[in-house]
Amino acid sequence: MVDVLPLVEARLRTALGEPDARAAVTFLGTDRIEVLRFQQDDIVRYATLGMSAHPMTDPTAVIADPVKGPRAELVLSVRSGLADTDKVLRPLAVLAASPQVEGLIVAPGASLDVGDPLWPGAPFTSVLVAEPGGLVEDLDLDEPMDPVQFLPLLPMTPNEAAWKRVHGAQALQERWLANGTDLRDPSRGSVALDLPPE
């Protein structure tokens, strides 16, 4: 079995540069999850490392396939210096451990909720999983392993999360786009959701 994580870290470094900090979190019964921090101008990015060590498996499967199945890491981008966003490390690690702990398959369009603010004073307790491939390209692995996808996380206010449950991820992303929402603003308010988009 190839050790996926050094390849994943190399891909993150190629795309985002050298990390300026890293932290490790271990939950009972799970592998260690690291969170790497990358500073690029006024944007700070947090990327998980460890979620892709094993493929995500369907919770209804009788036997988990140790080789085949989707693999992913999570990437969160926010404007630096506006909030104590470094406290997001533990919530990010919790989300990255959820496939191991809860048998979740994390995929684009999904909502992930940590139940508490993502960082102190954050107006967000959940994130929308966005489409991969923009910031960090997928990492192809040897057959029959699936490629590792780097899934961007978009913080959602409780109102946005509730609206997304009714209308879907695509509709919420279109609403953000129509309103010119700065999804990297760590203290932004909820987008207007009551009126139809122009």
Side-chain angles (χ1 to χ4, degrees):
M1 280 289 290
V2 63
D3 187 356
V4 172
L5 297 184
L7 304 175
V8 170
E9 183 169 349
R11 175 57 54 93
L12 286 169
R13 287 170 183 265
T14 299
L16 305 177
E18 285 297 309
D20 66 353
R22 62 196 303 152
V25 182
T26 306
F27 303 101
L28 193 63
T30 67
D31 294 338
R32 187 171 81 153
I33 302 285
E34 286 192 275
V35 180
L36 280 55
R37 185 181 72 185
F38 301 86
Q39 185 78 43
Q40 290 184 320
D41 301 322
D42 66 335
I43 301 294
V44 60
R45 305 189 196 280
Y46 302 94
T48 64
L49 180 64
M51 182 176 168
S52 62
H54 306 285
M56 293 181 275
T57 54
D58 186 331
T60 61
V62 179
I63 299 174
D65 190 318
V67 178
K68 295 181 74 173
R71 294 175 190 256
E73 297 289 354
L74 308 175
V75 182
L76 173 71
S77 302
V78 289
R79 297 201 178 281
S80 60
L82 302 178
D84 188 10
T85 55
D86 279 353
K87 294 288 197 313
V88 79
L89 298 178
R90 187 168 179 81
L92 266 185
V94 168
L95 295 179
S98 61
Q100 283 186 67
V101 176
E102 300 172 42
L104 291 179
I105 292 184
V106 177
S111 303
L112 302 175
D113 197 322
V114 295
D116 291 306
L118 292 175
W119 52 81
F124 321 105
T125 61
S126 63
V127 292
L128 175 65
V129 182
E131 292 291 335
L135 187 63
V136 185
E137 284 185 25
D138 292 359
L139 172 65
D140 289 325
L141 301 173
D142 294 338
E143 294 286 345
M145 293 192 287
D146 290 28
V148 177
Q149 295 186 313
F150 298 87
L151 301 172
L153 300 181
L154 308 175
M156 292 188 291
T157 65
N159 282 349
E160 290 169 342
W163 197 85
K164 181 254 175 190
R165 279 195 292 276
V166 175
H167 299 280
Q170 184 70 35
L172 177 58
Q173 288 180 294
E174 288 170 4
R175 184 59 57 97
W176 281 335
L177 198 60
N179 284 271
T181 306
D182 181 3
L183 296 174
R184 295 174 177 169
D185 181 350
S187 54
R188 72 174 179 84
S190 188
V191 70
L193 297 168
D194 47 350
L195 299 171
E198 295 296 324

